[in-house]
């Protein structure tokens, strides 16, 4: 059915050459992506934070500038803290939901190992398991001994006599007295 090892379309040298070209191209693309990230970061920083002009400012103006920068840092820290709290809450919620999913699925299942057995050995194991489970069940049963007092109470005798004795007011009196 299988005709042996599969023949490849390309020779080993051709595959090696193609692999080298792919790796070189991937390296170039990675370098371009990193440089794009750096330029994008610089441009966003220049947009959000204008450069400081400290020359020609008096001491009082520098102090006001410092106070303003401190206020901005405080607002950024508050926003960062709020975002971190939300992220932690979401991560905890995700972990809880994943735990619930695993509980519903039945928890982690171990990887099963392949066992080589012949069909006769498997059938023999199955029949032995069935027979042993029945005999184990019977041997594990407890024997129950009845008390003689309970047997006497259970034996009503002739039912007609019992009905006649319990009928009427006398039977009701016996029920209340006992």
């Amino acid at each position: 059915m299988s005709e042996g090892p599969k023949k490849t379309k390309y020779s080993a040298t051709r595959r090696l050459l193609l692999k080298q070209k792919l790796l070189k191209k991937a390296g170039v693309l990675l370098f371009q992506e990193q440089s794009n990230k750096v330029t994008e970061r610089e441009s966003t920083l220049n947009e959000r934070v204008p450069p400081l002009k400290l020359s020609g400012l008096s001491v009082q103006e520098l102090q006001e500038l410092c106070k303003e920068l401190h206020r901005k840092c405080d607002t950024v820290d508050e926003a960062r803290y709020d975002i971190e709290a939300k992220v932690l809450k979401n991560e905890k919620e995700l972990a809880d939901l994943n735990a619930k999913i695993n509980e519903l699925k039945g928890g982690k299942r171990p990887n099963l190992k392949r066992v080589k057995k012949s069909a006769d050995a498997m059938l023999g194991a199955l029949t032995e398991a069935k027979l042993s489970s029945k005999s184990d069940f019977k041997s594990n049963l407890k024997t129950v001994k009845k008390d003689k007092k309970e047997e006497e109470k259970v034996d009503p005798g002739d039912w007609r006599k019992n009905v006649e004795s319990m009928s009427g007011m006398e039977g009701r009196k016996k029920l209340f007295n006992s």
Side-chain angles (χ1 to χ4, degrees):
M1 292 179 198
S2 63
E3 299 173 2
K6 202 176 194 182
K7 291 187 178 181
T8 58
K9 293 181 181 179
Y10 302 110
S11 66
T13 55
R14 179 75 177 152
R15 283 189 306 228
L16 184 62
L17 180 66
L18 289 172
K19 185 177 180 181
Q20 288 174 347
K21 285 184 178 181
L22 281 173
L23 287 173
K24 189 181 284 187
K25 182 69 175 175
V28 169
L29 290 174
L30 183 64
F31 180 74
Q32 286 177 352
E33 185 178 335
Q34 288 174 346
S35 62
N36 286 342
K37 282 185 179 180
V38 168
T39 55
E40 184 179 331
R41 184 174 190 271
E42 289 175 0
S43 64
T44 53
L45 281 176
N46 288 334
E47 282 180 18
R48 292 183 182 176
V49 182
L52 292 175
K53 296 178 183 176
L54 300 176
S55 60
L57 294 176
S58 67
V59 175
Q60 189 177 13
E61 291 174 341
L62 285 173
Q63 287 177 349
E64 289 177 17
L65 181 65
C66 286
K67 289 179 183 178
E68 183 181 336
L69 289 175
H70 277 287
R71 274 186 255 126
K72 286 183 180 180
C73 286
D74 288 342
T75 57
V76 168
D77 283 341
E78 288 174 4
R80 181 181 53 85
Y81 177 78
D82 291 342
I83 290 172
E84 284 179 356
K86 286 180 183 178
V87 167
L88 288 175
K89 180 183 173 187
N90 287 341
E91 286 178 351
K92 184 178 179 181
E93 190 174 323
L94 281 173
D96 291 341
L97 291 174
N98 283 333
K100 286 182 182 179
I101 288 171
N102 285 338
E103 286 178 20
L104 292 175
K105 284 184 178 179
K108 290 186 178 179
R109 295 181 182 159
N111 294 335
L112 299 176
K113 295 180 182 178
R114 189 173 294 243
V115 178
K116 294 182 181 179
K117 280 191 174 182
S118 66
D120 294 334
M122 289 173 62
L123 286 174
L126 285 174
T127 55
E128 287 175 11
K130 288 180 182 177
L131 293 175
S132 66
S133 67
K134 288 181 182 177
S135 63
D136 288 343
F137 179 73
K138 289 180 180 178
S139 65
N140 289 335
L141 289 177
K142 294 181 180 178
T143 56
V144 178
K145 296 181 181 178
K146 293 184 178 180
D147 293 335
K148 292 182 180 179
K149 293 178 181 178
E150 290 179 10
E151 290 178 8
E152 291 173 3
K153 289 180 182 178
V154 174
D155 187 24
D158 190 15
W159 63 273
R160 290 181 207 109
K161 291 179 184 177
N162 194 16
V163 169
E164 290 173 4
S165 66
M166 296 301 281
S167 64
M169 289 301 289
E170 293 176 9
R172 292 187 182 153
K173 285 181 183 176
K174 287 180 183 176
L175 284 175
F176 284 116
N177 291 333
S178 61

